[in-house]
Amino acid sequence: MVDFNIIEFKKDSAIFVAGESARDVFYIIKEGTIIDKNYVVENTNFEFTTGDILGIVSAILSEPYYSTAIAMTDVKLIEINIKDIYNIEDKKIIENIYKYLIKFMEIWLGKYFHKLSEALKVENYRENNALEIAKIYDDNEFKHAAVYMYKKIIEMFPDENHDEIKNKINIIEKTCNIEPPLEITPNLYEYKTGSCIFSELESNTNLYVIRDGKVGVYSVFDGRLITRIIFKSGNIIGYKPILGNKFLLTTCIVLEDTILHIVNKEDFLRLATTNTKLQHYLVNIMARRIYNTIIKSYSIGMKSVIGKFYSMIYSFAKTELLFDKNIDFLELPYTAHDICGMIGIENSSYVKSEINKAKVILFSRHEKIIIPSLQNFFEEYNMYRKRNSTANIN
């Protein structure tokens, strides 16, 4: 049983301030109202009241606070040490933590796409229809995913004429060997490279645990294919939006032969409330995904193109260190083009030429990003950040 401290703050007091090092505690509001003033995206304030959670993402990751929390009334807060989060027996608190993390993932994803639209000068965002989305994947050489979507469109609109789509399917299938997933045991499947697990044309209902392999997560945004994130072994994909945010709908494509364990979401969450090791994993990885999305939003607003790129590499490198703190050599699954696309940089060739000068980041023959020494990279990153610092979150 965990005993929690109750602490009080007077009206107008700061609970924490953007840019300061995170403490190893987070808070649940017992009484009162707090305004969380965010400086990553302009004019972004959140109002928190009884039952809401504060400061958990920064505390879990030991990252600087990205917002300032001000008491709008006298408040009482339940203070929870981050090390005690995995000993909480109250399932309601555990469920609230998960809901909070998923909710804020959605919120920050919406803010990220808003910042991206500004960077790309998208004045009137137009949602692509199903056929346009499928064609974009086709044009970007994700042929298996395109066929998957073309067939999904036929299912979605059975009464329409699909001669053009059927012709596209026939052409691709004649040139590409598309193998269906191989069932190894119940709920355990092998997917071949290029296979589409699920697409943004559907609302997914399962979770997928990557036992071995690599999976890319993508979305079409205003006619552009955006690499959202690339997952390796041990990651989990496929949670369902709780706010109805369409931006959370994604297409997942297998980038190398991959073994996936398919799990029902309800069964998975029931297990998560009783399995400490799984709780640790879920809380840490969801916090890092939120922070990565915040860093994307922050990076887009930076003036320096190289600063934008460095900031993203830093965030992805810290993700790799979550569960293996002893690594020093790192090969990221991203290319410079992937990173630049995430944060609205049009000229990835310029970025590569500038990055090559520092020698802390290299590029493989397949254009993948290689960091020979994480220690050297972090030192270079910190020097660059100090020379060009205008932000207050990292």
Side-chain angles (χ1 to χ4, degrees):
M1 187 70 179
V2 179
D3 293 324
F4 303 125
N5 294 326
I6 304 297
I7 60 174
E8 299 183 14
F9 287 87
K10 293 295 184 182
K11 180 182 178 181
D12 296 328
S13 299
I15 289 81
F16 50 77
V17 177
E20 71 179 11
S21 298
R23 298 185 285 279
D24 58 359
V25 297
F26 67 98
Y27 309 97
I28 298 177
I29 300 176
K30 184 176 176 64
E31 294 178 14
T33 301
I34 290 173
I35 292 293
D36 194 55
K37 297 185 177 183
N38 181 269
Y39 300 99
V40 177
V41 178
E42 298 82 359
N43 303 315
T44 301
N45 295 335
F46 299 114
E47 181 176 302
F48 294 117
T49 57
T50 303
D52 287 331
I53 299 173
L54 285 172
I56 188 170
V57 172
S58 293
I60 289 170
L61 303 175
S62 298
E63 296 280 9
Y65 293 111
Y66 53 85
S67 61
T68 296
I70 304 292
M72 301 304 291
T73 64
D74 292 351
V75 297
K76 290 184 179 180
L77 305 178
I78 302 169
E79 182 183 70
I80 303 176
N81 194 292
I82 210 66
K83 66 180 174 58
D84 291 329
I85 195 173
Y86 314 112
N87 299 318
I88 297 172
E89 296 177 0
D90 189 331
K91 291 186 178 181
K92 187 175 181 180
I93 293 178
I94 296 171
E95 289 173 359
N96 284 342
I97 289 171
Y98 292 146
K99 286 181 181 178
Y100 168 89
L101 292 172
I102 293 174
K103 174 183 175 181
F104 270 80
M105 179 67 195
E106 291 188 55
I107 289 172
W108 276 107
L109 201 53
K111 294 183 182 303
Y112 159 64
F113 276 109
H114 173 72
K115 293 289 288 186
L116 185 61
S117 67
E118 289 182 340
L120 297 175
K121 297 181 171 55
V122 177
E123 295 182 1
N124 297 300
Y125 170 71
R126 183 180 68 82
E127 200 171 298
N128 297 94
N129 64 40
L131 182 57
E132 288 173 328
I133 291 172
K135 286 181 177 178
I136 288 168
Y137 282 91
D138 196 348
D139 292 342
N140 281 274
E141 299 303 319
F142 287 121
K143 299 297 183 182
H144 296 210
V147 167
Y148 180 97
M149 292 185 198
Y150 288 142
K151 290 181 177 180
K152 185 65 65 176
I153 291 169
I154 294 174
E155 291 179 16
M156 292 164 59
F157 308 104
D159 298 328
E160 295 186 10
N161 184 304
H162 296 300
D163 289 344
E164 179 187 354
I165 293 177
K166 290 177 180 178
N167 184 52
K168 289 179 179 294
I169 293 172
N170 288 334
I171 292 172
I172 294 174
E173 289 185 336
K174 284 180 180 178
T175 57
C176 297
N177 181 25
I178 301 177
E179 298 182 37
L182 172 67
E183 184 175 8
I184 301 171
T185 62
N187 299 322
L188 189 68
Y189 292 85
E190 179 184 1
Y191 283 75
K192 303 301 287 184
T193 301
S195 300
C196 184
I197 303 168
F198 57 83
S199 78
E200 56 213 85
L201 303 186
E202 59 201 299
S203 183
N204 181 49
T205 58
N206 290 317
L207 287 169
Y208 300 81
V209 181
I210 305 174
R211 296 297 186 191
D212 185 52
K214 188 185 300 181
V215 175
V217 182
Y218 305 89
S219 290
V220 169
F221 176 70
D222 197 54
R224 303 166 186 257
L225 185 64
I226 303 295
T227 301
R228 290 271 289 274
I229 196 166
I230 295 175
F231 290 131
K232 297 187 290 187
S233 301
N235 273 284
I236 300 169
I237 54 177
Y239 57 87
K240 184 178 180 180
I242 60 175
L243 300 179
N245 190 335
K246 291 184 178 180
F247 286 137
L248 270 182
L249 297 177
T250 55
T251 295
C252 289
I253 300 173
V254 173
L255 301 181
E256 62 184 39
D257 292 358
T258 294
I259 306 294
L260 292 176
H261 184 198
I262 303 176
V263 187
N264 176 275
K265 290 183 179 178
E266 287 71 24
D267 292 342
F268 185 85
L269 289 176
R270 275 195 294 271
L271 178 61
T273 60
T274 58
N275 186 309
T276 302
K277 185 176 180 181
L278 186 56
Q279 285 179 23
H280 181 273
Y281 174 82
L282 283 176
V283 169
N284 276 269
I285 201 66
M286 282 303 299
R288 176 49 68 182
R289 289 180 190 177
I290 292 169
Y291 205 83
N292 282 356
T293 307
I294 293 169
I295 292 296
K296 286 181 185 177
S297 304
Y298 157 71
S299 299
I300 290 171
M302 293 178 67
K303 293 182 180 179
S304 166
V305 172
I306 304 306
K308 294 173 189 275
F309 193 86
Y310 266 157
S311 182
M312 289 305 305
I313 300 300
Y314 169 85
S315 187
F316 285 127
K318 290 297 288 284
T319 300
E320 296 295 327
L321 288 169
L322 260 184
F323 301 105
D324 186 356
K325 300 185 184 302
N326 296 319
I327 59 173
D328 192 45
F329 174 89
L330 181 62
E331 180 181 356
L332 291 174
Y334 305 97
T335 65
H337 177 77
D338 290 332
I339 301 294
C340 290
M342 293 176 189
I343 49 180
I345 299 174
E346 300 283 1
N347 190 348
S348 60
S349 296
Y350 167 75
V351 171
K352 284 184 63 179
S353 67
E354 291 298 304
I355 291 295
N356 278 328
K357 295 176 182 178
K359 303 299 183 185
V360 293
I361 296 175
L362 307 176
F363 301 94
S364 74
R365 68 176 63 187
H366 299 295
E367 300 296 318
K368 301 300 182 187
I369 294 167
I370 294 174
I371 305 175
S373 168
L374 281 173
Q375 181 178 346
N376 290 345
F377 167 73
F378 287 136
E379 289 174 358
E380 174 69 19
Y381 170 78
N382 286 328
M383 286 191 294
Y384 184 90
R385 182 176 60 84
K386 289 175 183 177
R387 289 196 303 264
N388 300 274
S389 180
T390 57
N392 50 17
I393 71 164
N394 69 349

